[in-house]
Amino acid sequence: MFFRIKPSGGRRYLQIVENKRVDGKVRQVVRLTIGRMDELEASGQLARLLASGARHCEQMMLLSAIENEATMLSMRRFGAPLLFGRLWQESGIAAVLEELLAGRQFEFPVERAVFATVLHRIMVSGSDRACDKWLDDYDIPGTEELGLHHLYRAMAWLGEELLDEEQGDATPFAPRTVKDLVEERLFARRHDLFTDLSVVFMDTTSLYFEGAGGETLGARGHSKDYRPQLAQMILGVVIDQDGRPICTEMWPGNTADVSVLVPVIDRLRSRFGITRVCVVADRGMISAATIAALEERGLEYVLGARERTDRIVREVVLADERPYIPLCLERAGGNETQLFIKEVKVAGKRYIVCRNEVVAIEEAETRRQVVAALDRQLTRGDKALIGNSAYRRFLRPVSDAKPGRKSKLFEIDAGKLAEEARFDGVFVLRSNARISPLQAVLRYRDLQNVERLFRVAKATMRTRPIYHSSDAAIRGHVFCSFLALILHQALDEKLRRAGKRVEWADLLRDLDRLQHGEISQNGKRWQVRTEAGAAASAAFKAARIAMSPRLQTPQQAVA
């Protein structure tokens, strides 16, 4: 079947016609007369009819355009700039950057350069060196003239040190910089009478450098990335009880975790006006001096304790024979976790012991498999086993071993196995907060939000590795990942409020497939866009962003 225009009495009629063989000859059979062409064109009914049918056969629409020598003038991705550009404005980041840039004589749009870098970090990650080429494929208003040197200068501005008179809240490890002003003004914008920072969560990680690592930030230290041969820096992130990132702190790579908690909390109180605060942090930040300093300042804390290396915890707290209290905690997805909790006080110090039976079973099974593999290996030879940390902790030297080629030097230590079983599914908290044991456990569990942020920053947005050579550019580079986390969390919150669940990878893929451009045909120009996928559609609805029609004239687009 096909369309045919039938002249009749000075008028033209649009018909749907089918070729059929009748008596051995092909004849055109009219299936439907749609109407007069002049009326259909004037009323727009013909355009609507064809557009409606084209939805069911987009391939033919493209073939028709090619056959009629249509010219594609441009095609660029617009989904990510549209979505995250809205969040960029709503979060106040754009306004804060413009405020801080007032009076500075940059010859390029610094705010646009920062946004482009943040968006690049969200979509494809990688180094800033690839960002300027990546920009060519994206429709980001205001970035048309940006080059790589502009992006580097924007990073250096974010990490630029403030004047000496503005260094009052600096930690012993790092100076105050422009990025600190951004954090403080962002917090001030969302601060109101109901804003509560009484609970803050903090954790740290390490980021390694491919180059020298700046003037002071790059140093050798304990690498959580298992890259001890590379210079690194320490990154700390602080979030509030709602999971919103508050600020990020950066120190040289040889700074110990136990030395940073108190200076950071002191700085938080002065920067953000916190009066009463409960600090929630992991066991890596615990030391006697840290706890004493927190108590001296009148601060509350919920800190993870070292079950194996703290003698009081190992010999007194875990030996307490009072019964546990069973509790059920709801997890994401509606599932429940069964916990057993009890409170133990030793010399005025408050400990909360928690046991997760499901985790206990998993850890016991893992140990059983390790021991089984160890037993098999011992029959083949035991000298190489001592270099395996998973095996070494379950071995002991054979007391009556005799020098010789086939003599066993090590054997499985049953006592170590029994001692290890005491810790299956157990974690211990140290707290002075005026809250119930259940509340303490819930607050400590919320510390996982910080760990999730680190996973997003390091895996999805690839803050690491870092190639910049100056401290200022390094701080700016890492801070752009922090700004990306703010947008990530803002979108998560909108989706949650809208009752929608979207996989992050699916969303990024859908956003990257959204493209728009112009087609020129017979002297006319049309703006077209691709169809939005399910994940992108859900995100746009949650952010209250209306999509443009798939086909419109440039004049309609401007209007």
Side-chain angles (χ1 to χ4, degrees), residues 161-170 175-176:
E161 293 187 24
L162 301 179
L163 299 175
D164 291 342
E165 55 267 27
E166 298 178 274
Q167 294 292 338
D169 297 327
R176 277 177 57 79

Side-chain angles (χ1 to χ4, degrees), residues 46-333:
L46 178 59
R48 288 194 293 272
L49 174 64
L50 295 176
S52 176
R55 287 204 303 267
H56 304 289
C57 193
E58 293 181 357
Q59 298 94 331
M60 292 306 300
M61 189 178 178
L62 292 173
L63 289 174
S64 177
I66 294 172
E67 289 172 358
N68 287 279
E69 297 182 349
T71 302
M72 178 66 72
L73 299 181
S74 62
M75 204 71 178
R76 303 180 77 190
R77 295 178 172 90
F78 75 97
L82 179 60
L83 176 62
F84 292 106
R86 173 68 63 86
L87 299 174
W88 182 260
Q89 297 292 333
E90 290 182 353
S91 64
I93 299 174
V96 166
L97 293 179
E98 293 293 356
E99 290 172 6
L100 294 173
L101 286 164
R104 297 294 297 264
Q105 300 300 316
F106 287 100
E107 76 283 0
F108 68 98
V110 177
E111 180 270 335
R112 292 285 80 193
V114 176
F115 175 65
T117 302
V118 171
L119 189 63
H120 177 252
R121 201 67 50 79
I122 291 173
M123 295 304 297
V124 296
S125 70
S127 71
D128 297 326
R129 289 186 288 188
C131 184
D132 65 323
K133 297 181 179 63
W134 172 86
L135 284 174
D136 294 338
D137 297 328
Y138 287 78
D139 186 5
I140 307 175
T143 63
E144 295 80 9
E145 303 300 324
L146 290 179
L148 180 59
H149 64 289
H150 295 134
L151 303 180
Y152 281 173
R153 288 184 63 190
M155 299 301 98
W157 173 71
L158 288 172
E160 182 181 287
E161 293 187 24
L162 301 179
L163 299 175
D164 291 342
E165 55 267 27
E166 298 178 274
Q167 294 292 338
D169 297 327
T171 65
F173 320 108
R176 277 177 57 79
T177 62
V178 170
K179 71 96 182 168
D180 295 315
L181 298 180
V182 176
E183 293 167 346
E184 291 157 13
R185 295 196 184 191
L186 285 176
F187 179 78
R189 278 179 168 266
R190 71 167 183 260
H191 177 74
D192 55 35
L193 293 175
F194 303 102
T195 302
D196 183 17
L197 256 190
S198 60
V199 180
V200 294
F201 303 87
M202 179 179 171
D203 202 356
T204 64
T205 190
S206 58
L207 302 174
Y208 60 83
F209 301 95
E210 293 293 347
E215 298 91 352
T216 63
L217 283 173
R220 300 288 176 85
H222 173 65
S223 175
K224 299 177 183 179
D225 296 313
Y226 306 103
R227 299 291 187 92
Q229 76 279 11
L230 297 177
Q232 66 175 15
M233 63 180 288
I234 303 298
L235 171 66
V237 171
V238 179
I239 68 172
D240 66 12
Q241 60 267 37
D242 296 320
R244 296 191 187 97
I246 298 299
C247 64
T248 180
E249 301 286 353
M250 306 171 201
W251 311 290
N254 56 358
T255 308
D257 281 356
V258 294
S259 65
V260 302
L261 183 58
V262 173
V264 169
I265 296 304
D266 286 342
R267 192 176 186 216
L268 281 175
R269 297 175 78 186
S270 59
R271 289 180 68 191
F272 303 112
I274 305 172
T275 54
R276 177 178 176 268
V277 60
C278 179
V279 182
V280 184
D282 210 347
R283 58 178 60 87
M285 297 185 180
I286 274 201
S287 72
T290 298
I291 293 176
L294 292 174
E295 292 176 342
E296 180 183 341
R297 288 161 173 77
L299 300 176
E300 296 182 346
Y301 56 81
V302 177
L303 303 173
R306 294 185 173 93
E307 296 88 3
R308 292 172 172 80
T309 58
D310 188 312
R311 187 184 59 82
I312 294 178
V313 172
R314 187 179 68 251
E315 298 180 3
V316 180
V317 175
L318 293 181
D320 185 270
E321 297 182 353
R322 279 174 290 184
Y324 287 90
I325 299 174
L327 292 171
C328 280
L329 302 182
E330 186 176 348
R331 295 189 302 174

Side-chain angles (χ1 to χ4, degrees), residues 284-489:
M285 297 185 180
I286 274 201
S287 72
T290 298
I291 293 176
L294 292 174
E295 292 176 342
E296 180 183 341
R297 288 161 173 77
L299 300 176
E300 296 182 346
Y301 56 81
V302 177
L303 303 173
R306 294 185 173 93
E307 296 88 3
R308 292 172 172 80
T309 58
D310 188 312
R311 187 184 59 82
I312 294 178
V313 172
R314 187 179 68 251
E315 298 180 3
V316 180
V317 175
L318 293 181
D320 185 270
E321 297 182 353
R322 279 174 290 184
Y324 287 90
I325 299 174
L327 292 171
C328 280
L329 302 182
E330 186 176 348
R331 295 189 302 174
N335 299 322
E336 290 185 342
T337 298
Q338 178 75 60
L339 288 182
F340 296 87
I341 302 176
K342 66 179 175 180
E343 184 175 344
V344 179
K345 290 186 177 180
V346 179
K349 299 175 182 177
R350 185 187 186 201
Y351 296 89
I352 298 166
V353 185
C354 310
R355 180 179 173 85
N356 187 320
E357 290 296 336
V358 173
V359 174
I361 293 172
E362 293 174 352
E363 292 180 347
E365 175 60 21
T366 299
R367 186 173 57 256
R368 185 195 66 78
Q369 294 176 7
V370 170
V371 172
L374 177 58
D375 192 43
R376 290 193 299 270
Q377 185 65 31
L378 282 172
T379 62
R380 303 188 189 105
D382 54 7
K383 290 185 178 180
L385 295 177
I386 200 64
N388 187 316
S389 59
Y391 291 156
R392 186 171 58 242
R393 58 195 178 119
F394 298 133
L395 296 174
R396 68 179 180 186
V398 176
S399 57
D400 58 349
K402 298 178 180 179
R405 187 172 182 181
K406 295 184 179 181
S407 177
K408 290 178 61 177
L409 302 178
F410 300 98
E411 63 183 1
I412 296 175
D413 190 333
K416 289 182 179 179
L417 293 178
E419 176 66 17
E420 188 68 20
R422 295 180 61 204
F423 303 105
D424 287 347
V426 172
F427 65 93
V428 180
L429 305 180
R430 170 83 181 272
S431 178
N432 67 342
R434 297 185 295 274
I435 55 178
S436 68
L438 174 59
Q439 289 174 317
V441 171
L442 291 175
R443 287 187 177 179
Y444 188 72
R445 188 182 66 169
D446 287 340
L447 187 61
Q448 295 174 355
N449 289 333
V450 185
E451 297 170 354
R452 179 183 61 83
L453 286 177
F454 279 134
R455 287 195 297 271
V456 171
K458 297 174 72 172
T460 305
M461 298 173 187
R462 285 191 62 195
T463 300
R464 59 182 182 183
I466 303 171
Y467 297 94
H468 294 286
S469 58
S470 71
D471 282 354
I474 290 169
R475 287 190 287 259
H477 172 92
V478 175
F479 185 62
C480 282
S481 288
F482 178 79
L483 294 178
L485 292 179
I486 292 179
L487 299 186
H488 192 304
Q489 194 278 336

